[in-house]
Amino acid sequence: MPRKPFVPGAALVVAAALTAGLAACTGGSGSDGDEGDAKSGGTSTSSQAAEPGRYQTLPEACGLPGRATVRGMLPGDGQHLSDTEAKKIYGGQPDLTYDTDRRVGCHWTRESTAGTRHLSLDIQRVVSYDAAVSDDDKAQGIYDRKEQAAEIPPGGGSSSPATPSPSSTTGTGKGAETGGAGKGTGTTTNSSTEEKGATGEKGAKGVQGKAPSGSPSASSDPSADVSAEPSADISDSTAPRVLDDLGDAAFLNDKLITADSGVHRDVTVVFRTSNVIVTLTYDQWSTDKTMLPDSQELQDKARSMAGELSERLSE
């Protein structure tokens, strides 16, 4: 029986097919391995990235505080206001910002026979573009610089006179910074500065319950000495200090500024909640330098509004 002829070409085709199949299997296996490494690497990078802050947008600043709260902070002389006047005063004027998701603000003003009161609100949302730094951490850094610039005593405030003392620092009072008009070179009194001047850095305290010598509140009238004692007690709670019960971090600053055009007290509350920093400034101006704005009243109202804002932001 004759043999079938051997065809080398067919063998080569079969061999090539087997080789291609093996290569395909090997390639597929390698591809799966590479894909697994890539996902693993991506997961590792993702786990190292800092978490974003809680807030991705900001509310409308003028509408954030309650109308009743704003009305209480801007008292008048008992005169009746029309609907238009009330809306203009209590509705506030929004600040001009170019990105309302990053920063918003509002300010209010009302004049009365007791003086002009200014209220301003600034809300900043902090975003970190560093994958290793969270939005909250970056916001905390900004807050820390604000607290340091205000020279707030660490761990809370300390007792200090509520009225200017000879140790007051001399500076320039600028109305533009607080919404007031006019500039003048006068006396800037910070409660922390008064503390050092009245008691000394070493803690050597003078006679308690009496106004410091040279203070505008000091008087030869015996009745004035009696009225000075309660104010000394109140000053223990009105010194610039850290606030432990507001947001994630907070402080209050209080400055009495005497300028050529008058006198004004500026109370500022700054607090951080997650990646948002809120700055509330509340001040009272008077052209009569013998009528000093009451620190306790201004601080109580500023703290009350700050607490309300913190709750509203947490909703």
Side-chain angles (χ1 to χ4, degrees), residues 22-41:
L22 290 174
C25 294
T26 304
S29 175
S31 175
D32 291 342
D34 292 344
E35 184 178 354
D37 293 340
K39 288 182 179 179
S40 175

Side-chain angles (χ1 to χ4, degrees), residues 55-68:
Y55 301 96
Q56 301 302 314
T57 66
L58 290 176
E60 196 273 316
C62 293
L64 190 60
R67 180 63 63 89

Side-chain angles (χ1 to χ4, degrees), residues 8 17 53 71 93 162 165 179 197 212 233 249 267 295 308:
R71 186 182 296 110
Q93 297 294 323
S165 68
D233 295 336
V267 174
S295 178
E308 178 183 324

Side-chain angles (χ1 to χ4, degrees), residues 290-307:
T290 64
M291 296 179 61
L292 300 181
D294 183 62
S295 178
Q296 188 73 58
E297 178 204 357
L298 297 179
Q299 288 196 22
D300 287 347
K301 290 183 176 182
R303 287 196 62 182
S304 178
M305 172 176 272

Side-chain angles (χ1 to χ4, degrees), residues 243-251 269-272 303 306-308 310:
L243 303 176
D244 298 326
D245 56 351
L246 181 62
D248 296 317
F251 71 84
V269 177
V270 179
F271 70 90
R272 177 186 73 82
R303 287 196 62 182
E308 178 183 324
S310 179

Side-chain angles (χ1 to χ4, degrees), residues 44-277:
S44 176
T45 303
S46 174
S47 64
Q48 293 178 0
E51 294 183 359
R54 172 181 179 180
Y55 301 96
Q56 301 302 314
T57 66
L58 290 176
E60 196 273 316
C62 293
L64 190 60
R67 180 63 63 89
T69 303
V70 175
R71 186 182 296 110
M73 299 182 75
L74 303 174
D77 299 319
Q79 74 272 29
H80 175 73
L81 297 176
S82 65
D83 292 342
T84 302
E85 292 173 330
K87 183 177 181 180
K88 181 179 180 181
I89 293 175
Y90 302 128
Q93 297 294 323
D95 295 340
L96 177 62
T97 58
Y98 297 98
D99 187 351
T100 55
D101 282 337
R102 294 294 300 275
R103 195 163 203 154
V104 294
C106 189
H107 57 275
W108 299 259
T109 302
R110 187 173 188 184
E111 298 179 358
S112 68
T113 55
T116 302
R117 297 205 185 194
H118 304 273
L119 172 64
S120 66
L121 182 61
D122 177 81
I123 307 175
Q124 177 185 4
R125 184 174 69 91
V126 180
V127 178
S128 173
Y129 295 100
D130 185 346
V133 180
S134 69
D135 294 346
D136 286 19
D137 288 342
K138 184 172 182 179
Q140 181 64 38
I142 295 175
Y143 167 86
D144 289 340
R145 289 192 291 273
K146 288 178 177 288
E147 183 178 314
Q148 184 178 10
E151 299 181 348
I152 304 300
S158 54
S159 61
S160 61
T163 53
S165 68
S167 62
S168 301
T169 57
T170 300
T172 301
K174 296 184 179 180
E177 295 180 357
T178 56
K183 297 181 180 180
T185 300
T187 301
T188 301
T189 301
N190 188 308
S191 296
S192 61
T193 305
E194 292 177 329
E195 160 71 7
K196 293 180 181 179
T199 64
E201 295 182 358
K202 297 296 184 178
K205 297 183 179 180
V207 179
Q208 296 180 351
K210 293 184 179 180
S213 176
S215 169
S217 63
S219 172
S220 58
D221 187 353
S223 63
D225 292 338
V226 175
S227 64
E229 292 184 6
S231 65
D233 295 336
I234 292 176
S235 68
D236 292 343
S237 62
T238 58
R241 60 197 180 279
V242 171
L243 303 176
D244 298 326
D245 56 351
L246 181 62
D248 296 317
F251 71 84
L252 181 148
N253 199 13
D254 187 328
K255 288 186 177 182
L256 180 65
I257 301 174
T258 304
D260 293 340
S261 58
V263 59
H264 63 99
R265 182 179 293 279
D266 302 341
V267 174
T268 303
V269 177
V270 179
F271 70 90
R272 177 186 73 82
T273 172
S274 186
N275 61 319
V276 165
I277 299 177

